[in-house]
Amino acid sequence: MTERETTRLVAWSQELRRVHVRLREALSVTRASLADGTPGEAATRELLLYCHGFCAALDGHHQGEDRTLFPAIAAAHPELRPVLRLLEQDHSMIAHLIGSLRAAVDRAAPPEELELHLEGIAAIMESHFRYEERQLLTVLETLELEAAPREVLGPL
C-alpha cells in the first residue's frame, strides 16, 4: 500500500470528525439565530435559512452514511452490523425530528417551540455522533472505500 493510499484510508476517520464538527457548528449558529430574537421578517428569513440549511446538511450526512458508508463497513466488518443498525435507527429518529422542526419553521412557530425542537435534535445528534465515533473511527482508518467524501458523508 502506498503512502497516498494509507493517507486516503486514514482520512475517512478525519472526514467523519470534520463533518460532525461542522454539523455541531451549524446547529449552534441556528440556535444562536433563534436566541438573537431579532424582531420581524428579517429574523424569520434568517431562521428559515439556518434551519433549512442545517436540516439539509444533517439529513444529507445520514443518507450518505446509510447509502454508501455503512454498507461498506458491513461488508468489511460483519460483526459491526448490530452497531450499524442502531446508528440507522438513530438516523430515522433524527429524520423524524428534523421533519417536525421543518414543519414548525414553515408555520412560523414561536421561538420557544423552535428551541424545543432544536434541543431535542441536539441531544439525539450529540449522543449519536459520540457513539458513532467510538464505534467506527478505528474501522474508518482502515476502510477501503472508493467514493468522494461528499457522497459518503454529505454535502458540507
Side-chain angles (χ1 to χ4, degrees):
M1 182 177 305
T2 68
E3 182 180 334
R4 183 170 185 260
E5 289 170 329
T6 302
T7 301
R8 182 63 238 153
L9 294 175
V10 172
W12 283 113
S13 63
Q14 294 169 1
E15 288 287 338
L16 183 67
R17 280 189 184 131
R18 276 195 280 265
V19 168
H20 286 178
V21 166
R22 284 187 233 134
L23 286 167
R24 286 176 176 116
E25 289 170 354
L27 178 61
S28 177
V29 167
T30 302
R31 292 179 91 175
S33 171
L34 181 60
D36 182 33
T38 306
E41 194 176 311
T44 303
R45 275 196 316 271
E46 186 174 300
L47 182 60
L48 281 169
L49 173 67
Y50 286 133
C51 284
H52 286 300
F54 165 71
C55 291
L58 184 59
D59 193 47
H61 170 64
H62 289 158
Q63 286 181 26
E65 285 181 336
D66 290 347
R67 182 180 54 248
T68 307
L69 184 63
F70 290 175
I73 292 171
H77 299 276
E79 73 280 6
L80 289 176
R81 286 188 176 138
V83 168
L84 299 173
R85 275 193 296 279
L86 288 173
L87 291 170
E88 288 170 343
Q89 288 173 355
D90 282 356
H91 290 175
S92 178
M93 183 185 328
I94 291 169
H96 175 74
L97 294 172
I98 286 172
S100 296
L101 172 62
R102 282 182 174 142
V105 168
D106 289 344
R107 67 177 163 72
E112 300 79 24
E113 181 182 337
L114 296 174
E115 177 54 33
L116 287 174
H117 285 286
L118 290 170
E119 190 175 307
I121 291 170
I124 300 297
M125 186 181 88
E126 190 58 37
S127 170
H128 173 78
F129 285 174
R130 287 181 182 186
Y131 179 72
E132 186 173 63
E133 290 171 2
R134 278 193 318 271
Q135 297 296 318
L136 301 183
L137 285 180
T138 302
V139 168
L140 289 176
E141 290 176 2
T142 59
L143 184 69
E144 294 186 37
L145 181 60
E146 291 295 324
R150 180 182 175 97
E151 176 188 325
V152 175
L153 298 175
L156 283 176

